[in-house]
Short mmCIF file of all heavy atoms in Angstrom, two decimals:
data_model
loop_
_atom_site.label_atom_id
_atom_site.label_comp_id
_atom_site.label_asym_id
_atom_site.label_seq_id
_atom_site.Cartn_x
_atom_site.Cartn_y
_atom_site.Cartn_z
N ALA I 196 25.31 -11.22 1.47
CA ALA I 196 26.76 -11.00 1.22
C ALA I 196 27.42 -10.46 2.51
O ALA I 196 26.80 -9.68 3.25
CB ALA I 196 26.93 -9.99 0.09
N PRO I 197 28.67 -10.85 2.77
CA PRO I 197 29.36 -10.32 3.97
C PRO I 197 29.56 -8.81 3.91
O PRO I 197 29.67 -8.26 2.81
CB PRO I 197 30.70 -11.08 3.96
CG PRO I 197 30.89 -11.49 2.54
CD PRO I 197 29.51 -11.69 1.97
N PHE I 198 29.58 -8.21 5.05
CA PHE I 198 29.86 -6.76 5.23
C PHE I 198 28.77 -5.89 4.58
O PHE I 198 29.01 -4.72 4.30
CB PHE I 198 31.24 -6.38 4.66
CG PHE I 198 32.36 -7.16 5.28
CD1 PHE I 198 32.95 -8.22 4.64
CD2 PHE I 198 32.80 -6.86 6.61
CE1 PHE I 198 33.99 -8.96 5.22
CE2 PHE I 198 33.79 -7.59 7.21
CZ PHE I 198 34.38 -8.63 6.50
N THR I 199 27.57 -6.41 4.34
CA THR I 199 26.51 -5.62 3.72
C THR I 199 25.31 -5.44 4.67
O THR I 199 24.50 -4.55 4.41
CB THR I 199 26.01 -6.31 2.43
OG1 THR I 199 25.46 -7.59 2.77
CG2 THR I 199 27.12 -6.44 1.42
N GLY I 200 25.16 -6.24 5.69
CA GLY I 200 23.97 -6.18 6.56
C GLY I 200 24.04 -5.02 7.55
O GLY I 200 25.09 -4.46 7.85
N ASP I 201 22.89 -4.72 8.09
CA ASP I 201 22.78 -3.60 9.04
C ASP I 201 23.50 -3.84 10.36
O ASP I 201 23.85 -2.90 11.03
CB ASP I 201 21.30 -3.34 9.37
CG ASP I 201 20.52 -2.75 8.20
OD1 ASP I 201 21.17 -2.21 7.25
OD2 ASP I 201 19.30 -2.88 8.22
N TYR I 202 23.69 -5.08 10.75
CA TYR I 202 24.17 -5.33 12.11
C TYR I 202 25.61 -5.90 12.21
O TYR I 202 26.07 -6.09 13.33
CB TYR I 202 23.22 -6.32 12.82
CG TYR I 202 21.82 -5.75 12.93
CD1 TYR I 202 20.71 -6.47 12.42
CD2 TYR I 202 21.55 -4.50 13.49
CE1 TYR I 202 19.45 -5.96 12.50
CE2 TYR I 202 20.29 -4.02 13.59
CZ TYR I 202 19.23 -4.75 13.10
OH TYR I 202 17.94 -4.24 13.19
N PHE I 203 26.30 -6.12 11.11
CA PHE I 203 27.62 -6.76 11.24
C PHE I 203 28.59 -5.84 12.01
O PHE I 203 29.45 -6.29 12.70
CB PHE I 203 28.23 -7.12 9.86
CG PHE I 203 28.93 -6.02 9.13
CD1 PHE I 203 30.28 -5.80 9.32
CD2 PHE I 203 28.21 -5.20 8.29
CE1 PHE I 203 30.91 -4.75 8.66
CE2 PHE I 203 28.87 -4.16 7.61
CZ PHE I 203 30.19 -3.93 7.79
N ASP I 204 28.39 -4.53 11.93
CA ASP I 204 29.27 -3.55 12.61
C ASP I 204 28.48 -2.71 13.61
O ASP I 204 28.86 -1.61 13.98
CB ASP I 204 29.95 -2.66 11.61
CG ASP I 204 31.15 -1.89 12.21
OD1 ASP I 204 31.76 -2.40 13.16
OD2 ASP I 204 31.42 -0.79 11.75
N CYS I 205 27.36 -3.23 14.10
CA CYS I 205 26.53 -2.50 15.05
C CYS I 205 26.97 -2.84 16.47
O CYS I 205 27.18 -3.99 16.81
CB CYS I 205 25.06 -2.93 14.87
SG CYS I 205 23.92 -2.13 16.01
N HIS I 206 27.10 -1.81 17.31
CA HIS I 206 27.53 -1.96 18.69
C HIS I 206 26.49 -1.49 19.68
O HIS I 206 26.81 -1.28 20.83
CB HIS I 206 28.89 -1.26 18.89
CG HIS I 206 29.92 -1.73 17.94
ND1 HIS I 206 30.58 -2.92 18.06
CD2 HIS I 206 30.43 -1.14 16.81
CE1 HIS I 206 31.45 -3.07 17.05
NE2 HIS I 206 31.36 -2.01 16.29
N ASP I 207 25.23 -1.30 19.23
CA ASP I 207 24.20 -0.84 20.09
C ASP I 207 23.74 -1.94 21.03
O ASP I 207 23.79 -3.12 20.71
CB ASP I 207 22.98 -0.37 19.25
CG ASP I 207 23.32 0.82 18.36
OD1 ASP I 207 24.39 1.46 18.57
OD2 ASP I 207 22.51 1.15 17.46
N ASP I 208 23.27 -1.51 22.20
CA ASP I 208 22.71 -2.46 23.19
C ASP I 208 21.30 -2.79 22.83
O ASP I 208 20.55 -1.99 22.26
CB ASP I 208 22.75 -1.84 24.61
CG ASP I 208 24.14 -1.70 25.15
OD1 ASP I 208 25.00 -2.50 24.75
OD2 ASP I 208 24.33 -0.84 26.02
N GLY I 209 20.89 -4.00 23.18
CA GLY I 209 19.49 -4.44 22.94
C GLY I 209 19.41 -5.93 22.80
O GLY I 209 20.38 -6.68 22.98
N MET I 210 18.23 -6.36 22.35
CA MET I 210 17.94 -7.76 22.10
C MET I 210 17.71 -7.95 20.60
O MET I 210 16.89 -7.25 19.99
CB MET I 210 16.71 -8.19 22.87
CG MET I 210 16.32 -9.63 22.71
SD MET I 210 17.54 -10.81 23.27
CE MET I 210 17.55 -10.46 25.05
N TYR I 211 18.44 -8.89 20.02
CA TYR I 211 18.24 -9.21 18.62
C TYR I 211 17.11 -10.25 18.54
O TYR I 211 17.17 -11.30 19.16
CB TYR I 211 19.53 -9.79 18.00
CG TYR I 211 20.56 -8.72 17.79
CD1 TYR I 211 21.48 -8.42 18.85
CD2 TYR I 211 20.67 -8.03 16.61
CE1 TYR I 211 22.44 -7.43 18.67
CE2 TYR I 211 21.63 -7.05 16.45
CZ TYR I 211 22.52 -6.75 17.45
OH TYR I 211 23.47 -5.78 17.26
#
Side-chain angles (χ1 to χ4, degrees):
F198 303 103
T199 61
D201 290 341
Y202 301 124
F203 84 90
D204 193 31
C205 178
H206 305 284
D207 296 348
D208 289 334
M210 180 62 65
Y211 288 88

